[in-house]
Every structure is written in structure tokens, then in C-alpha cells.
Amino acid sequence: MLTKARIAVLVSGGGTNLQALIDAQQRGELQSGEIVLVISNKPGAYALQRAEKAGIPALTITRKDCGSTEAFEAALLAALEENHIDLIILAGFMSILSADFTRRCPDRILNVHPSLIPSFCGKGMYGLRVHQAALDYGVKVTGATVHLVNEIPDGGRILLQKAVAILPEDTPETLQRRVMEQAEWILLPQAAEMLSANIVKEKRHD
Ligand code: GAR
């Protein structure tokens, strides 16, 4: 009987959202799921060290090594299947997955985005660019969104959102940090627990 959803976290960079998930698991707040695999598409990403420190197996799979998007996604899928992954979490994963990929995993891929979708999102909007765009526009409130991933970049069903104030002296970096601290690191583990609990319940009824 499945007692916990098996989670893979896909990363590209620093991995502070991965760390928030690991910490939530260690505190018992993420209890319906277990992070069993971390995959980076960037060699040397600091997130890989966080995985190692937490004793979580980690892999690097790059598009460049694979030679094409199709081969890259096939390698990702193979690693996910081999590890019997129930839930995929994109935590600062800076690569858009194709419709072919996302259709294979309906309602099983979570993403965290550093704005209040539908503002400042979609293709080309990631990392500090999102915060720069919010500052350029002059909005006074931004935030973070956790949503399901479908074939539309940042277009899947929204699960959780939290607003964060923008201060007059903000730079993209200070804003990014506040959005992470006040929203992303809280929402992502909450959504991971919600979805994991659903997966466990569904499997029990199988
Ligand atoms: C986070 O702010 C995350 O929301 C964002 O990149 C950062 C990754 O930080 N993701 C996107 O912009 C995706 N569209 P982390 O590696 O420290 O978690």
C-alpha cells in the first residue's frame, strides 16, 4: 500500500525552494509525500549540494548532453518512471516542458512562480526578470503563485497565491528575497502536502 507520494523536485539553480521542501519534510509538515529524487538541468547547480546534504539522490540531465528537447524530455521521463515518481515539483526549474511532456502527467506537476499570475508570467518570465518587470510596471503589490502545470507556460490551475508588498527602495534582488521569504517558501510546501495527500487518497481507492 502506498503510504507516501514519491516526489521528484526539478531544479536549475540555488534551490532555496527545494530547501523549503526539505525543511518542511523534516519538520513533519510535508508528511504525505517524500522527496526521493532531485533532478537538475544545470550542472553544478547549488541545489544539488542541498540534495546531497539531505541524503536525497540527485541527477543532472542537460538538454545539451541529450542533443535535443525530445531526447532531454525522454531522459527526464525515464528517470521519473524508474523512480516511480507520483508528483513532480518544479522548484526554480528554468526550462519549459513541452505539451507532449505535460500531457503525460496531468495534475501531477506543480510549479512555483514569483508573481501573482496572470501578472508577469509566461514564456521568458523567470527569476529576477519577473521582479524587474513588476518594478518597471510600478505595481505596489506582487507575490507568488503555486499552480499545476499544463501545456500553457504558467497557465495551469492555480492552487495557492500570496500577496507581498513592494517597497519604494526595492531592487529586483530585495524583492525576490521578500517574495521567497513571505510567500514561496510557505506556499510550495503547503501545496506539495495538499497534492501528496490527494495522491495517497486516490491510490488507496485504486
Ligand atoms: C524562485 O523565485 C522561483 O519562483 C523562480 O526562480 C527562483 C528559483 O529560486 N521560478 C521561476 O521564475 C519559474 N518561472 P531557487 O532556485 O532558490 O528556488
Side-chain angles (χ1 to χ4, degrees), residues 19-84:
Q19 192 65 53
L21 290 164
I22 293 170
D23 294 346
Q25 186 172 292
Q26 285 169 355
R27 287 195 300 266
E29 289 162 17
L30 173 53
Q31 49 166 350
S32 304
E34 184 180 355
I35 306 162
V36 295
L37 182 66
V38 169
I39 303 178
S40 172
N41 68 337
K42 294 277 178 252
Y46 186 65
L48 291 165
Q49 288 186 41
R50 296 183 189 271
E52 194 188 51
K53 197 158 167 233
I56 302 166
L59 296 173
T60 301
I61 303 176
T62 72
R63 197 175 302 248
K64 194 161 164 255
D65 287 344
C66 293
S68 69
T69 298
E70 290 74 20
F72 169 67
E73 292 193 345
L76 276 182
L77 274 175
L80 297 168
E81 276 166 19
E82 218 169 276
N83 287 278
H84 308 285

Side-chain angles (χ1 to χ4, degrees), residues 13-18 91-94 111-114 125-127 130-131 154 176 180 184:
T16 63
N17 279 289
L18 167 66
F93 185 64
M94 304 304 185
N111 182 43
V112 60
H113 183 77
M125 276 291 181
Y126 57 84
V130 179
H131 303 293
D154 297 324
Q176 179 181 56
M180 284 174 159
E184 294 184 47

Side-chain angles (χ1 to χ4, degrees), residues 10 54 83 96 99 102 125-126 128 159 173 182 188 200-201:
L10 274 51
N83 287 278
I96 292 178
T102 58
M125 276 291 181
Y126 57 84
L128 284 171
L159 299 184
E173 289 78 10
Q182 295 185 7
L188 189 60
V200 171
K201 219 190 297 168

Side-chain angles (χ1 to χ4, degrees), residues 138-151:
V139 292
K140 303 302 173 208
V141 172
T142 186
T145 303
V146 178
H147 64 93
L148 293 169
V149 174
N150 65 9
E151 67 283 3

Side-chain angles (χ1 to χ4, degrees), residues 104-183:
R104 283 169 189 262
C105 325
D107 298 341
R108 289 292 176 268
I109 313 176
L110 266 185
N111 182 43
V112 60
H113 183 77
S115 75
L116 294 174
I117 290 175
S119 290
F120 313 117
C121 64
K123 202 161 180 270
M125 276 291 181
Y126 57 84
L128 284 171
R129 288 180 182 205
V130 179
H131 303 293
Q132 183 69 63
L135 292 174
D136 289 348
Y137 202 97
V139 292
K140 303 302 173 208
V141 172
T142 186
T145 303
V146 178
H147 64 93
L148 293 169
V149 174
N150 65 9
E151 67 283 3
I152 303 158
D154 297 324
R157 185 157 65 86
I158 291 172
L159 299 184
L160 296 172
Q161 275 187 318
K162 190 163 185 276
V164 174
I166 295 183
L167 304 181
E169 64 276 17
D170 265 333
T171 62
E173 289 78 10
T174 60
L175 184 55
Q176 179 181 56
R177 181 75 192 180
R178 189 174 322 107
V179 169
M180 284 174 159
E181 281 176 358
Q182 295 185 7

